[in-house]
Amino acid sequence: MLTDTHTHLYSESFDEDREIMMQRALDAGVKRFFIPAIDSNYAEAMFDLEKAYPDNVHLMMGLHPTSVKENYKEELQFVTSQFKCRNFIGVGEIGIDLYWDKSTLGIQQEAFRYQIQLAKKYKLPIVIHCRDAFDEVFEVLESEKSPKLFGIFHCFTGTLEQAHKAISYNMKLGIGGVVTFKNGKIDTFLNQIPLSEIVLETDSPYLSPVPYRGKRNESSYLALICKKVAEIYSISEEKVAEITTQNSKDIFSI
């Protein structure tokens, strides 16, 4: 059994073939799908997805850093209100993204801290989005460091040193399609990280693994990521699936 710890299955990219795409993933052995939020605009689509696949789909709630705009306080209030209404399995995806807009760094940091504190309150894991912002993310994590802080460093693309630092904050590393890229680099040192510290993800519809790079990603491609990780660690794909699924259970308690 494979677990996709990060997949945007509610994305408009799947509107025309969602059921077929989901069946492909289930047929490929992907039985558990962990769904990060982006902002309030996608909430209804997320809830619809959960209703359609109640045994497989598990929802997070949070405000994505690229959605931290002028109305971020209203969006954070929406996130807070949702936690009062129902249960979620994590707070995510949250973090800092300086690739698209550096001018919002201050409010991104504020939103990141606020949501970390929300996760601590509800004793939930966080799922971190970090793009061109390792130092800034680590600065916030350092200030919020505690036994109650834990989760996943989603789409990890940093160095070995940054990997160890992320793990030191009780974060598992989310390994996705980048591990299959020729210039992805993480494949050169990943086997120096214990397999107990990683989880698998697709981030679909983004970041498709080879040979689908540049095309729409989907959760069935998690099998390709699993295969590459198995090659890196020189163990069977079944063992990778078993250990990384157990890691996801340890984080999300489900």
Side-chain angles (χ1 to χ4, degrees), residues 169-182:
Y169 293 114
N170 296 326
M171 299 294 146
K172 304 287 188 198
L173 306 181
I175 303 300
V178 174
V179 78
T180 70
F181 297 174
K182 280 187 177 176

Side-chain angles (χ1 to χ4, degrees), residues 176-184 186-187 208-211 224-225 228:
V178 174
V179 78
T180 70
F181 297 174
K182 280 187 177 176
N183 60 348
I186 56 172
D187 60 312
S208 285
V210 173
L224 297 168
I225 295 163
K228 180 64 175 181

Side-chain angles (χ1 to χ4, degrees), residues 1 226 230 235-243:
M1 179 171 66
C226 179
I235 59 175
S236 70
E237 292 169 50
E238 290 78 12
K239 197 67 180 171
V240 171
E242 178 191 336
I243 293 172

Side-chain angles (χ1 to χ4, degrees), residues 63-78:
L63 179 62
H64 192 290
T66 60
S67 290
V68 176
K69 311 281 190 188
E70 295 81 6
N71 69 334
Y72 78 100
K73 289 188 177 177
E74 289 87 348
E75 284 287 339
L76 289 175
Q77 283 309 306
F78 174 80

Side-chain angles (χ1 to χ4, degrees), residues 194-206:
L195 196 58
S196 59
E197 301 296 346
I198 76 167
V199 291
L200 303 184
E201 61 170 60
T202 58
D203 197 22
S204 58
Y206 316 107

Side-chain angles (χ1 to χ4, degrees), residues 118-185:
L118 202 59
K120 289 177 179 175
K121 176 182 175 181
Y122 288 100
K123 299 178 180 175
L124 290 171
I126 62 171
V127 172
I128 298 172
H129 172 106
C130 172
R131 192 168 187 191
D132 291 356
F134 273 103
D135 291 344
E136 292 80 3
V137 165
F138 286 144
E139 183 183 339
V140 173
L141 293 179
E142 182 65 30
S143 68
E144 293 292 337
K145 190 164 62 173
S146 92
K148 293 181 179 177
L149 177 67
F150 69 106
I152 297 172
F153 215 103
H154 147 63
C155 190
F156 183 80
T157 55
T159 63
L160 178 60
E161 183 185 1
Q162 288 166 332
H164 286 308
K165 193 161 187 176
I167 291 166
S168 76
Y169 293 114
N170 296 326
M171 299 294 146
K172 304 287 188 198
L173 306 181
I175 303 300
V178 174
V179 78
T180 70
F181 297 174
K182 280 187 177 176
N183 60 348
K185 296 180 184 174

Side-chain angles (χ1 to χ4, degrees), residues 98-123:
L98 298 180
Y99 178 80
W100 297 106
D101 189 353
K102 292 181 173 64
S103 71
T104 58
L105 174 59
I107 57 175
Q108 285 191 55
Q109 289 169 317
E110 185 183 333
F112 189 22
R113 279 199 180 90
Y114 179 90
Q115 293 179 97
I116 288 174
Q117 288 162 11
L118 202 59
K120 289 177 179 175
K121 176 182 175 181
Y122 288 100
K123 299 178 180 175

